Amino acid sequence: MTDTKKDKESEELEPQIDVEEGTEPADVTASNEADEIGQSEEVEVEPLDEIDIREAISDTTEVHEQLHLAASEVANLPAIKEGLPPTILVVFPLRRSVPFPSLIMPVLAEAGDEVAIMEKAMAQGRHIGLLHAPGMSEKQGVAKADFAVTGVLAEVHKRIRLPDGNSNYICRGVRRFRVDRFVKLKGVPVARVSYPEDIYPPGNETEALSRNVLSLAQKVASHNPSLGDGFNLAALNIDPAGGLADFSAAYLLREPSEKQPVLDELNVRDRLHTVDEALTRELVTLELGDRIQAEIRERIEQQQKEFFLREQIKIIRRELGEEQDPPERDRELFLNKLEEGDFPAEVAGKVKDEIERLSMIPSMSPEYPVARNYIEWLLELPWMVASDDRIDIDQAEMILDRDHYGLKEAKERILEFLGVRKLRPEHSGAILCFVGPPGVGKTSLAMAIAESMGRQLERMSLGGMRDEAEIKGHRRTYVGALPGRIMQMVRRAGTNNPVIVLDEVDKLGKDFRGDPSSALLEVLDPAQNKAFLDLYLDLPFDLSRVMFIATANVLHEIPGPLRDRMEVIALPGYVTAEKVQIARRHLLPRQMKDHGLDPKKIKLPLASLRAIVNSYTREAGVRGLEKFIANLCRKRTLEVARRKRPKPEIPVTLLEKYLGPPKYEDDPVRLKPDVGVALGLAYTAYGGDVLEIECVTVQENGKGTVGYTGSLGDVMSESCRIAHSYLRSQCQELDLEGCAIQSRDLHVHFPSGAVPKDGPSAGITITCAMLSQLSGRKLKPRLAMTGEITLTGEVLPVGGIREKVLAAKRYGVKQLILPKANERDVKILDPEWTSGMSFHFVGHFNDVVDLAFTGPNRKKSRS
């Protein structure tokens, strides 16, 4: 017998009530598969293949009526055989139901082994043993352990054939049996059984339990309208008490695991006790469900009542020609928003108070719009609304690689940040701060983070902001008061956990109106922003779920306390190879789309892109590169619009035609500096740069002074004086006795003169430029340097090594002189950035002289 069965809701149907003669039979409960049944001994229902649907509906109704007649007829049949029941029984396994004595039950048998079992039983006197077999539902094969121990001897009265090939047998339970042993298991199961009698203990406890079960059964049945009055009538006429327990368990208990212990129990008192406990649990569950349903119904009815009353008021006022006054309309609007939304208790109480206050203000009063605007802000802020984070590390990595080329360290740190958020969503984490020159992708990285997390993105530029009220809002006493920009972005995002980008945090201003950087301390501090207090709202708002990302060009321009609250991720500039790939993958396709060009109209080979990078742009980012590519696309679009047919490919030789003469070429001064010229490395807000430092003799017989020009700051001016003082102190060691340094007036200049310059990193470069002018010796070609110098000639470390190295590579510098303490900064650089370059690390200026100049430079070596 196979156990591969299709899922069916009514494998064995609910039992029917077996009543004594003269009583009204109970309603018959049949399965969906057994709704079509006739009055004859065997009714065959033809399948509905190609007949009219109206005829099918009519036939189904007729067969449904016949089912009740057949069941009623069977319910009043006498026992088929009288005398002792058989001890050898054919066993039919019931998978999902438990049989009980004295009850009529339809049993569904599927075509095949199950029908064979029933036919075997009918051939041997219509007796069959119905036995619960829960273990046969999920496996192949039959074992003794699959069957329950106690079953019910039943008489088979009717067979109804169904259109799907299965059959429905109407059986009547006779009495309990216990399986002594199985004679046969495969095919048609056969078992040797015995018929134990019910045990009725002495005393009144059984009678009391019987009454309790009857009362509980009637109460539980009252919650099930399908049982009807026939159930109570049948229950009252059942005798003895053991039959009442069986009857109640069969109809009112839900699970077979609850019914089988009732069938197994022979002690009537214990059986009634088991049924009593089960019905008590069921009644408690039903009463709880009724109470919940009543509460829901009451609340819905109250809401519907209020809705109908309001609608009636509106219609009455409309019929009377009375329009609703603005205060009443606003009051209803705000109250509806308050009921529909989700607000903290403090906010809800504040809104109700303000609504009551608004209703007492005349609509023509200037205070009315102020109060109304305040309520609108309170109701439209997403106090309890948050978007679900869908952090997928692989998806985030794909988005970062799709939108950005290079930036390996920054991407890795962002993925680490997202990984922590995924494993611990409640972790607030650090405030990220992307620092780097313009055009390297700081803002676009923040946009990629928001996309990968599925959050709303809001952006605020802090450049030039001088009023702290822009952050914390104005008090409502001011005319035109509004919340700060932070709360405005939260309201615009519609969630309390957006990604907010604070652009140009290093360009915050400060004046008599306040210090915005101090106001940002509360916003960016996880220990404080859980209850951020906007002066306009005057209610604490939780900003701890907001993800803040700051961007800056220069790190040291960010105020110290604010910088300490952020985790800095440095974004260096791009080398030529990276710019070419960015242009090929991102910039050119974007500009082609913006200008309506397809790949058949314009093609830029890698050589042309490389030429644009080297000859037309000198920047750390790619913003200028995109402008030149856009210029090319515009000119090609014009040619196409004029119906010209140029070749798609634009070689290097045609770049000058489209973009004009190259703006940058290898400067001979930079490649082979003249006497008095040295190349230094600088770190600016726009990335690294290579500076020429020029020194000339103004007067031979002067006072030995030095002048300097080029918009220098205080620190760089001091570096000029330090360099001059050091050379005068080392005149003999550096063989400068014949140059009359004591009487020569020098002038040091830093092109471009209009660009402000400051910082200590040009110390050794200034000293080399002066030494070259004084000694008449030139510095080595394609050599640049950076480092701070002291009055004793010590070379101190400087910052911005990564940006300076990238700048040197862009300008074609081959040798770099760096402070020895900065050697560790060079070791962590990408090999692509340092390829083709030589690095020399020095600790004293005498080492610089040995490396920068050709030939003997000192009278003797430093001890």
Side-chain angles (χ1 to χ4, degrees):
M1 180 173 58
T2 177
D3 281 321
T4 305
K5 305 296 181 182
K6 63 180 179 179
D7 186 21
K8 52 187 182 290
E9 290 295 328
S10 300
E11 181 175 316
E12 291 83 29
L13 304 180
E14 288 292 331
Q16 307 301 318
I17 304 169
D18 189 5
V19 298
E20 299 179 355
E21 187 174 356
T23 62
E24 182 181 356
D27 293 335
V28 178
T29 304
S31 68
N32 294 332
E33 291 88 353
D35 278 344
E36 298 169 0
I37 179 173
Q39 292 180 341
S40 62
E41 185 67 16
E42 290 188 352
V43 181
E44 296 192 13
V45 182
E46 295 295 331
L48 303 178
D49 292 330
E50 298 180 359
I51 62 175
D52 188 77
I53 187 64
R54 290 172 296 181
E55 296 178 4
I57 295 173
S58 175
D59 293 344
T60 302
T61 304
E62 181 179 355
V63 171
H64 184 71
E65 294 174 353
Q66 295 174 0
L67 171 64
H68 289 277
L69 294 175
S72 300
E73 174 188 347
V74 174
N76 292 305
L77 286 176
I80 292 178
K81 290 185 178 182
E82 300 294 340
L84 295 177
T87 58
I88 302 296
L89 285 179
V90 175
V91 175
F92 186 89
L94 300 177
R95 300 173 185 274
R96 299 183 183 179
S97 64
V98 178
F100 282 94
S102 304
L103 298 178
I104 294 175
M105 61 204 80
V107 177
L108 178 65
E110 292 190 353
D113 292 341
E114 293 186 351
V115 172
I117 295 173
M118 281 293 184
E119 293 300 319
K120 184 71 173 177
M122 294 181 68
Q124 297 181 356
R126 293 180 179 266
H127 283 91
I128 192 167
L130 301 179
L131 197 62
H132 183 47
M136 296 179 59
S137 59
E138 299 294 338
K139 68 183 187 68
Q140 298 291 335
V142 182
K144 179 181 179 181
D146 296 336
F147 293 89
V149 177
T150 307
V152 171
L153 173 69
E155 296 175 342
V156 182
H157 288 275
K158 288 268 187 187
R159 178 186 180 184
I160 302 97
R161 294 181 179 177
L162 302 177
D164 58 1
N166 301 332
S167 296
N168 215 354
Y169 295 86
I170 298 180
C171 304
R172 174 159 54 187
V174 178
R175 63 181 299 176
R176 279 177 173 78
F177 69 79
R178 285 195 183 253
V179 177
D180 295 335
R181 65 184 181 89
F182 279 95
V183 179
K184 180 183 178 183
L185 280 175
K186 295 183 179 179
V188 178
V190 178
R192 180 177 293 277
V193 301
S194 59
Y195 299 93
E197 298 292 338
D198 288 346
I199 301 173
Y200 285 86
N204 297 327
E205 186 177 357
T206 301
E207 178 65 21
L209 286 171
S210 177
R211 294 180 181 181
N212 284 347
V213 168
L214 178 61
S215 176
L216 287 171
Q218 291 175 340
K219 292 178 181 178
V220 173
S222 65
H223 290 80
N224 189 354
S226 63
L227 294 177
D229 296 333
F231 179 88
N232 293 332
L233 180 61
L236 289 171
N237 287 280
I238 290 178
D239 192 49
L244 177 62
D246 294 341
F247 178 79
S248 302
Y251 278 91
L252 302 179
L253 300 187
R254 297 177 179 272
E255 300 296 330
S257 60
E258 295 179 328
K259 294 180 178 182
Q260 187 62 41
V262 177
L263 184 65
D264 293 338
E265 186 59 59
L266 298 179
N267 189 303
V268 175
R269 181 183 59 193
D270 295 341
R271 188 189 307 169
L272 288 169
H273 193 275
T274 302
V275 175
D276 189 295
E277 289 183 356
L279 290 180
T280 301
R281 288 195 300 268
E282 182 70 16
L283 182 61
V284 170
T285 303
L286 292 172
E287 289 177 348
L288 178 60
D290 290 345
R291 186 163 61 252
I292 295 174
Q293 187 66 26
E295 292 177 359
I296 295 175
R297 184 183 299 108
E298 182 180 355
R299 185 166 63 251
I300 293 177
E301 289 176 352
Q302 181 64 26
Q303 292 176 354
Q304 291 179 339
K305 177 181 177 181
E306 293 177 357
F307 172 78
F308 287 129
L309 290 176
R310 289 194 185 99
E311 291 299 317
Q312 289 175 358
I313 292 174
K314 291 179 182 179
I315 294 174
I316 292 173
R317 287 181 175 176
R318 191 180 302 117
E319 293 296 328
L320 294 176
E322 299 178 357
E323 294 184 358
Q324 192 175 16
D325 57 337
E328 183 63 25
R329 184 175 62 250
D330 291 341
R331 186 176 186 277
E332 291 185 5
L333 174 65
F334 293 147
L335 287 176
N336 290 336
K337 286 185 176 181
L338 185 62
E339 292 176 359
E340 295 171 0
D342 188 9
F343 302 93
E346 184 180 3
V347 177
K350 183 72 171 178
V351 170
K352 290 179 181 178
D353 294 342
E354 291 295 326
I355 292 175
E356 294 300 324
R357 178 172 170 269
L358 182 69
S359 61
M360 295 184 292
I361 301 176
S363 60
M364 301 303 294
S365 171
E367 191 177 353
Y368 185 85
V370 176
R372 187 183 188 281
N373 191 41
Y374 178 65
I375 298 175
E376 284 184 344
W377 270 100
L378 293 181
L379 291 174
E380 294 182 7
L381 280 175
W383 298 90
M384 309 289 286
V385 180
S387 59
D388 295 331
D389 288 345
R390 55 173 193 272
I391 300 178
D392 187 337
I393 303 300
D394 295 334
Q395 178 73 8
E397 186 175 7
M398 185 274 294
I399 293 173
L400 292 173
D401 291 336
R402 180 197 67 191
D403 297 339
H404 304 85
Y405 182 83
L407 304 178
K408 181 179 178 181
E409 294 181 8
K411 291 178 181 178
E412 184 177 354
R413 178 61 189 90
I414 291 172
L415 293 177
E416 293 172 356
F417 179 83
L418 295 178
V420 174
R421 282 295 181 96
K422 182 175 183 179
L423 295 182
R424 191 182 177 193
E426 70 275 7
H427 178 65
S428 59
I431 308 298
L432 299 182
C433 180
F434 298 139
V435 178
V440 296
K442 299 185 295 297
T443 304
S444 59
L445 275 176
M447 297 172 64
I449 292 175
E451 180 182 353
S452 63
M453 297 181 68
R455 292 192 180 190
Q456 296 293 326
L457 176 71
E458 293 294 330
R459 179 172 172 265
M460 176 175 67
S461 178
L462 301 177
M465 184 180 293
R466 297 179 178 273
D467 190 355
E468 66 179 13
E470 293 283 341
I471 304 295
K472 299 200 65 174
H474 301 80
R475 297 191 182 277
R476 282 182 289 158
T477 54
Y478 293 95
V479 177
L482 284 174
R485 298 273 296 278
I486 299 294
M487 300 312 300
Q488 292 180 30
M489 288 188 291
V490 171
R491 174 187 178 183
R492 192 161 52 245
T495 63
N496 61 11
N497 62 339
V499 175
I500 294 182
V501 181
L502 304 176
D503 259 339
E504 313 295 347
V505 71
D506 57 329
K507 298 178 178 59
L508 280 170
K510 180 180 180 180
D511 61 7
F512 65 93
R513 287 170 290 187
D515 184 4
S517 64
S518 300
L520 278 177
L521 295 178
E522 181 182 357
V523 175
L524 301 181
D525 191 348
Q528 302 181 51
N529 61 12
K530 291 180 181 285
F532 173 70
L533 187 64
D534 187 277
L535 297 179
Y536 179 83
L537 299 176
D538 199 27
L539 286 171
F541 191 93
D542 185 5
L543 292 179
S544 61
R545 304 189 65 183
V546 177
M547 182 176 181
F548 291 99
I549 299 177
T551 68
N553 297 130
V554 183
L555 182 61
H556 63 80
E557 294 290 341
I558 304 175
L562 190 59
R563 186 169 61 244
D564 291 342
R565 284 165 169 78
M566 300 185 293
E567 180 171 346
V568 177
I569 299 179
L571 304 181
Y574 298 109
V575 295
T576 301
E578 292 176 332
K579 290 183 179 180
V580 170
Q581 292 299 324
I582 292 172
R584 183 178 68 86
R585 299 183 184 188
H586 303 290
L587 305 183
L588 181 58
R590 183 163 60 207
Q591 292 301 324
M592 290 171 57
K593 180 180 179 181
D594 292 344
H595 291 84
L597 295 173
D598 57 59
K600 298 180 180 179
K601 300 290 177 40
I602 184 171
K603 293 182 180 179
L604 283 175
L606 294 180
S608 298
L609 292 174
R610 191 176 296 107
I612 295 175
V613 171
N614 293 329
S615 301
Y616 291 90
T617 64
R618 286 285 173 89
E619 58 177 348
V622 293
R623 198 165 287 164
L625 175 60
E626 185 172 13
K627 292 179 181 178
F628 279 101
I629 293 177
N631 192 5
L632 274 176
C633 292
R634 285 196 302 271
K635 294 185 183 301
R636 177 51 57 92
T637 302
L638 181 59
E639 292 177 345
V640 174
R642 288 178 173 175
R643 300 183 180 276
K644 295 182 179 181
R645 294 184 178 180
K647 294 182 178 180
E649 186 172 327
I650 301 179
V652 177
T653 55
L654 292 180
L655 289 180
E656 189 169 347
K657 170 187 174 183
Y658 289 96
L659 303 178
K663 294 189 175 184
Y664 302 98
E665 294 181 353
D666 286 340
D667 192 343
V669 176
R670 298 181 190 273
L671 298 177
K672 296 181 179 180
D674 203 350
V675 173
V677 178
L679 299 184
L681 300 176
Y683 174 47
T684 68
Y686 302 97
D689 197 7
V690 177
L691 297 180
E692 296 178 9
I693 298 179
E694 303 171 342
C695 181
V696 296
T697 300
V698 179
Q699 188 174 353
E700 292 286 348
N701 299 318
K703 297 182 180 180
T705 61
V706 59
Y708 35 83
T709 55
S711 299
L712 306 185
D714 294 337
V715 178
M716 191 168 283
S717 301
E718 292 177 356
S719 295
C720 293
R721 294 195 293 269
I722 292 172
H724 189 252
S725 298
Y726 172 74
L727 292 177
R728 293 182 66 176
S729 67
Q730 300 294 320
C731 182
Q732 182 178 359
E733 185 176 355
L734 295 174
D735 197 13
L736 298 177
E737 296 173 343
C739 66
I741 187 175
Q742 306 294 340
S743 60
R744 292 177 68 174
D745 293 340
L746 301 178
H747 186 153
V748 181
H749 179 63
F750 296 78
S752 300
V755 178
K757 307 171 189 67
D758 202 5
S761 64
I764 63 173
T765 313
I766 298 171
T767 308
C768 284
M770 290 183 180
L771 181 58
S772 174
Q773 177 62 33
L774 293 171
S775 64
R777 295 188 295 267
K778 296 181 180 180
L779 278 78
K780 292 180 180 179
R782 295 184 181 270
L783 180 141
M785 61 191 74
T786 182
E788 183 180 358
I789 191 172
T790 67
L791 284 173
T792 60
E794 297 293 331
V795 180
L796 303 181
V798 294
I801 294 297
R802 176 164 41 184
E803 288 76 13
K804 293 177 180 178
V805 171
L806 289 175
K809 189 173 183 64
R810 285 198 301 271
Y811 282 95
V813 174
K814 299 299 182 183
Q815 298 187 66
L816 286 179
I817 298 177
L818 303 175
K820 191 171 186 60
N822 288 119
E823 185 174 0
R824 62 180 181 273
D825 298 322
V826 177
K827 289 181 179 179
I828 64 175
L829 297 180
D830 195 312
E832 184 180 358
W833 301 346
T834 59
S835 62
M837 302 178 68
S838 300
F839 294 87
H840 308 285
F841 302 100
V842 297
H844 195 273
F845 184 73
N846 287 339
D847 301 330
V848 179
V849 175
D850 294 337
L851 294 169
F853 294 89
T854 57
N857 297 302
R858 293 181 288 115
K859 184 176 288 187
K860 59 181 179 179
S861 62
R862 179 172 56 92
S863 56

